[in-house]
Amino acid sequence: PAALVRAARQWPDADALADGSFRLSYRQYLERSIQLARGLIARGVGPGDRVVVWAPNSAEVALTAMAVAFAGGVLVPLNTRFTAYEAAALIRRSEAVAVLAFTGFLGRDYLASLRELGTLDGLKAAVALRGPSAEGALSLPELLALGEETDEAEVWARVRTLGPADISDNL
């Protein structure tokens, strides 16, 4: 988080993320990451909790990665070529509390495939990062709206507790 905060102060209006025609400045990247972190916190993601992202390289993945860090969590990225069984095994092994995924990539709905296996049962959050959300899952805009329930001060309190020995991502 500190690197993004510094970049947003130094180059607030410079492009930070570009994904096709979608663009975010460093300031916007910071603001949206914090809002997404607030949504994750509202769904119960706590410090040290594993959060899976199963999606291709995209602006949503970059936002999710930063938001998980701001929430004090640990990002667990999954390869988009994994089968649902492989993904489910890694989700269980990592003890993830949330899964954020695309619901329409290469003709696959990652959340639907996990739901069929029962992998989403008991998670604090299942979120469609891009594509329609389905039964039991939130859309990205819904998660961002939930962030309004969490005071931004909670995000900054978590950031202040992060140290050099904390894990940011777990492969």
Side-chain angles (χ1 to χ4, degrees):
L4 180 54
V5 169
R6 265 192 313 276
R9 284 185 186 141
Q10 190 166 2
W11 309 290
D13 299 318
D15 280 349
L17 290 178
D19 186 358
S21 62
F22 180 81
R23 298 277 191 274
L24 286 180
S25 68
Y26 281 102
R27 177 180 40 244
Q28 292 167 322
Y29 186 13
L30 176 62
E31 290 167 354
R32 292 213 186 157
S33 296
I34 291 169
Q35 185 66 22
L36 183 51
R38 291 170 66 191
L40 292 170
I41 293 167
R43 290 300 298 192
V45 173
D49 282 347
R50 272 42 179 182
V51 177
V52 166
V53 63
W54 195 13
N57 195 13
S58 60
E60 292 91 344
V61 169
L63 282 164
T64 299
M66 193 55 67
V68 169
F70 271 100
V74 177
L75 182 72
V76 181
L78 297 186
N79 187 315
T80 56
R81 304 297 187 203
F82 282 172
T83 67
Y85 293 102
E86 291 168 321
L90 285 171
I91 290 166
R92 280 192 302 279
R93 197 164 55 237
S94 70
E95 299 178 356
V97 301
V99 173
L100 292 85
F102 276 30
T103 59
F105 178 67
L106 297 178
R108 295 174 64 194
D109 181 335
Y110 293 131
L111 291 179
S113 65
L114 294 172
R115 186 178 308 100
E116 289 172 12
L117 297 174
T119 307
L120 302 180
D121 298 342
L123 292 180
K124 294 178 179 179
V127 179
L129 284 175
R130 187 185 294 175
S133 61
E135 177 188 339
L138 298 168
S139 67
L140 183 56
E142 288 170 326
L143 183 64
L144 290 168
L146 278 174
E148 296 300 321
E149 298 175 10
T150 301
D151 192 321
E152 189 174 324
E154 174 63 23
V155 174
W156 293 112
R158 290 182 184 204
V159 168
R160 283 191 299 277
T161 68
L162 294 174
D166 288 319
I167 299 170
S168 66
D169 55 89
N170 192 346
L171 304 175

